[in-house]
Each structure stands twice: as structure tokens, then as C-alpha cells.
Amino acid sequence: MQHLPSNLRLLIGAGLLVLVLAGLGVYFQSETSPVLEDGEIREADAPLPMTGIDGDIKNGVHVPTGFIAAEGVHLVIAHCTACHSAKLVTQNRADREGWQQMIRWMQRTQNLWDLGEQEAAILDYLAENYAPVKSGRRPPLTDIDWYELKD
Ligand code: HEC
């Protein structure tokens, strides 16, 4: 180093410093950005391949749509919120076959496109997270305060 001009040495020093700081930045960023903020991660969900929507997930729910944050949710957000609200999806329950029938019905009558290779993952997500209530994780609701739907 001694034979180098002092301004070049300064430049090399500054360059090294920047590298170290950048390295530290990357290290600490990956340490402090968990997918879910409050720890409610179900086993199947970690790590989630959901680039771009992670920040919208709170308590295991993708807040803007209300979808349960689980494997495949990014596909469902992409394909199933284009024509109607996510609520139409989340308020329904069905097994895999039932979900497939709904998709086929939309394809026949509502111009839903071919979901191609992603259909299987979408059906897995729907059947797993929006299964018929009797076989779901929660017991059926009781004492429901029904109200009349008006149109
Ligand atoms: C191309 C437009 C379009 C896309 C994309 C779409 N749907 Fe639909 N879907 C519709 C229409 C139109 C209806 C009927 C809406 C109504 O009755 O108000 C509907 C209704 C539904 C219903 C209610 C069915 C019922 O029996 O009441 C469900 C559940 C549903 N869609 C789920 C999905 C899912 C899951 C996806 C993603 C795979 C999806 N939709 C993507 C157009 C679409």
C-alpha cells in the first residue's frame, strides 16, 4: 500500500468501507424482515414464495383481499380477484372437486381463462383453506344472528 499515492489509498479505503456497510445492511435486513410480523406462521406457510405481497400480510391474512396467507395465495390473488371481489371467494366453502366445478362454471359462462399448470396449486389452496365447514379446522358457528338480504 505504501507505494500508492495517498489519494488512491483513500479511495481504496472508502471502497472497502462501502462494501462492509453494504454487507452489514444486507445481513441485518434479512434478519429483521420476517414474513409475518407477529409470529402467527402456520408450518405450511414458511417460507412463503410470495414476493411483493409479504408486507400486506397481518395475522396470517392478506389484508387487502382477506385471503388466508398460505401456500398458493399469490396465485389466487392474481387469478381470482380480476373480475369480482375476493369476498365472493372467501365466503364460499367447498372441497377440491367443488372448487373445480366453480372454476369450470366460470370458464364456461364467465370467460374465466384457462388456469393451466397453476390450476392444481389454486385448487390445493382453495380446498385446504376454504374447505367445507364441517371438515374444516373450526367447528361450525352456532347462534348465528341471521338477517334478511335485501336487493
Ligand atoms: C373472468 C372473470 C372471473 C374470474 C377471473 C374469476 N371469476 Fe369467479 N365469478 C365470475 C363471475 C362473473 C361470477 C358470478 C358473480 C355473481 O354472481 O355476482 C363469479 C362467481 C364466483 C363465485 C361464486 C359462485 C357461486 O356459486 O355463488 C366463486 C366462489 C368464484 N367466482 C370463485 C372464483 C375463483 C376461486 C377464481 C379464481 C380461480 C375466480 N372466481 C375468478 C367471474 C370470474
Side-chain angles (χ1 to χ4, degrees), residues 79-80 83-84 88-89 98-113 115 126:
H79 287 289
C80 308
C83 302
H84 48 67
L88 204 57
V89 183
W99 281 112
Q100 191 173 41
Q101 281 166 7
M102 283 188 249
I103 287 175
R104 291 289 172 270
W105 171 79
M106 281 179 283
Q107 287 170 332
R108 266 198 323 273
T109 63
Q110 311 296 337
N111 280 330
L112 173 59
W113 44 85
L115 298 169
L126 293 168

Side-chain angles (χ1 to χ4, degrees), residues 82-136:
C83 302
H84 48 67
S85 94
K87 198 152 188 202
L88 204 57
V89 183
T90 57
Q91 72 193 3
N92 272 277
R93 293 281 180 283
D95 56 16
R96 207 170 193 281
E97 201 187 321
W99 281 112
Q100 191 173 41
Q101 281 166 7
M102 283 188 249
I103 287 175
R104 291 289 172 270
W105 171 79
M106 281 179 283
Q107 287 170 332
R108 266 198 323 273
T109 63
Q110 311 296 337
N111 280 330
L112 173 59
W113 44 85
D114 185 353
L115 298 169
E117 289 178 355
Q118 297 177 334
E119 183 175 292
I122 290 171
L123 286 174
D124 286 346
Y125 171 88
L126 293 168
E128 167 75 19
N129 296 288
Y130 298 96
V133 174
K134 58 177 159 41
S135 67

Side-chain angles (χ1 to χ4, degrees), residues 48-54 62 67-81 118 121-122 125:
L48 291 170
M50 296 192 296
T51 43
I53 67 169
D54 300 16
H62 179 249
F67 282 131
I68 295 168
E71 183 97 43
V73 67
H74 57 301
L75 292 175
V76 174
I77 292 169
H79 287 289
C80 308
T81 59
Q118 297 177 334
I122 290 171
Y125 171 88

